[in-house]
Structures are given as structure tokens and as C-alpha cells.
Amino acid sequence: DAKTTQPPSMDCAEGRAANLPCNHSTISGNEYVYWYRQIHSQGPQYIIHGLKNNETNEMASLIITEDRKSSTLILPHATLRDTAVYYCIVRVATDNAGNMLTFGGGTRLMVKP
Amino acid sequence: DVKVTQSSRYLVKRTGEKVFLECVQDMDHENMFWYRQDPGLGLRLIYFSYDVKMKEKGDIPEGYSVSREKKERFSLILESASTNQTSMYLCATEGSTTDTQYFGPGTRLTVL
């Protein structure tokens, strides 16, 4: 799986959009971009994933650049409960082999009142 | 929504005790995983199972065993707990036709 680079920490004001960047310059054509987050002392929570098109769900939007070398996770209206560590991962689409997830350092997002 | 539950959120055991951690999922997923997570070391895969009674070792299986007698249930067993097994244990599930792993809430195990 390709390596990702994220800033170690970011702050965001409550109610504002949080834009979390991720670089994955060595991504392969069959690798998806996944985002998870982990709130302190809880299990990781799946947020969103995409291959090359932008994606949106009830939690967030994922913007992937045309060359797929970077992406941005957008939380449109951050709340205090969005304070967490956010992990960007790239991984191959399933091959039924039960591929393990590998989390890097992630970005610690602090949402402030 | 996928629901993955783990038997305990917090557990304290003594060295040498046998410890059972249980994970249950309600999405009929084929693949189930046990990870441990430690500060500075990220997620490390202990075991995974791709079907009932099937199991594969992950990166750090020593000191652990697993059991998958039913599709929805995957148990992690510490035969003789040691202090270096103090950690956060995370269960995850994944369907064979989906690309997304869903995690349980985690069990923070302390071995004294």
C-alpha cells in the first residue's frame, strides 16, 4: 500500500469547515483513498473512501485531485465532537485476502469553541 | 449500519491468567480481524479469519490464539497473560465484497 503524509495537528473553530489534507504521491491506479478517525480511547471509525471521483456522505466530503496524488477531507461544520485523530490510508480494493489496515501518524484535529 | 461489539471496554487481569476477548458483528461479514494498538506503534495485526473455523496469523500472533466457531463471533484468547500484553485491542470486520473495515469500540486490557 502507498505511503501517506498528513500534518500532525490542526485546529478548527467550531462551526467552521475543517479541511484535512493528505499526500499520497505514490498511489497506484487500483488503490483507494480511505479516511478513518479515532476519538480518544475509542475504536477507529470509518468516514469515507474514494478512487478518483469526489465523494460525499453524511459525515464528510472527500476531494481527490485529478492526478490522485493528494486528497482533502472536509468536515463542513465542525463540532467539538469532531475532535479526534484523522487517518488517511491508501489501500488496494478487496481481493478477499483480508488485508490489514496500516495507520500512519494521522492528523490530530482540535475543534475549539 | 454495521455494528461491531466487543465484550468489555476495560479489563484488568493478573499475570498468568487466561483472558478471553470476544467480538460480535451483525453484518454477516466473512472477514474478521484482531489488532492491538499501542502508542507509537500504530495498529498491529494479531490474527484474522476469513471464514468460520479459518484463521491466519498476522504480524504478532505469539502469545495469542483465536476461535471462530460462528460467522458472527471471533474470539481472541491470551493463554497466559503477560504485562507486555497490556494494550488496546481492536476487533474489525469486513465483507468479502466490500473494501471497508469496521471497528468495534475497543477493549483496553491492563495486565498487572
Side-chain angles (χ1 to χ4, degrees), chain A residues 32 34 36 38 40-46 49 87 91-104, chain B residues 9-10 31 33 35 37 43-45 48 59 88 90 94-106 108:
Chain A
Y32 286 75
Y34 277 80
Y36 283 79
Q38 189 168 22
H40 183 61
S41 293
Q42 297 185 23
Q45 179 186 21
Y46 164 76
H49 74 285
Y87 296 101
R91 64 192 299 248
V92 180
T94 185
D95 58 359
N96 287 353
N99 293 321
M100 64 171 287
L101 283 182
T102 303
F103 285 176
Chain B
R9 289 299 309 277
Y10 300 94
N31 299 330
F33 305 79
Y35 295 90
Q37 185 178 34
L43 283 182
R44 291 184 289 169
L45 181 66
F48 75 93
D59 295 332
M88 169 73 110
L90 293 163
E94 180 186 79
S96 61
T97 56
T98 68
D99 308 315
T100 304
Q101 288 190 20
Y102 296 92
F103 287 83
R108 188 164 293 281

Side-chain angles (χ1 to χ4, degrees), chain B residues 58-76:
Chain B
D59 295 332
I60 51 163
E62 296 79 20
Y64 303 94
S65 62
V66 290
S67 171
R68 185 129 181 240
E69 296 297 317
K70 294 184 178 181
K71 191 174 185 180
E72 68 270 20
R73 198 175 296 264
F74 191 33
S75 300
L76 180 69

Side-chain angles (χ1 to χ4, degrees), chain B:
Chain B
D1 279 354
V2 175
K3 187 157 186 182
V4 184
T5 58
Q6 294 184 228
S7 47
S8 306
R9 289 299 309 277
Y10 300 94
L11 207 52
V12 179
K13 295 291 182 181
R14 295 204 176 275
T15 301
E17 282 193 83
K18 192 168 185 175
V19 182
F20 292 89
L21 303 181
E22 193 165 69
C23 176
V24 179
Q25 51 106 352
D26 67 353
M27 285 302 293
D28 203 36
H29 282 172
E30 288 78 10
N31 299 330
M32 297 187 74
F33 305 79
W34 275 107
Y35 295 90
R36 61 179 283 180
Q37 185 178 34
D38 301 286
L41 297 176
L43 283 182
R44 291 184 289 169
L45 181 66
I46 305 171
Y47 269 96
F48 75 93
S49 169
Y50 53 91
D51 203 349
V52 175
K53 296 191 186 297
M54 307 304 288
K55 61 187 178 186
E56 293 285 342
K57 292 181 180 178
D59 295 332
I60 51 163
E62 296 79 20
Y64 303 94
S65 62
V66 290
S67 171
R68 185 129 181 240
E69 296 297 317
K70 294 184 178 181
K71 191 174 185 180
E72 68 270 20
R73 198 175 296 264
F74 191 33
S75 300
L76 180 69
I77 302 145
L78 288 67
E79 295 289 342
S80 177
S82 63
T83 54
N84 63 12
Q85 291 178 311
T86 290
S87 186
M88 169 73 110
Y89 289 88
L90 293 163
C91 174
T93 77
E94 180 186 79
S96 61
T97 56
T98 68
D99 308 315
T100 304
Q101 288 190 20
Y102 296 92
F103 287 83
T107 295
R108 188 164 293 281
L109 172 68
T110 302
V111 182
L112 302 175

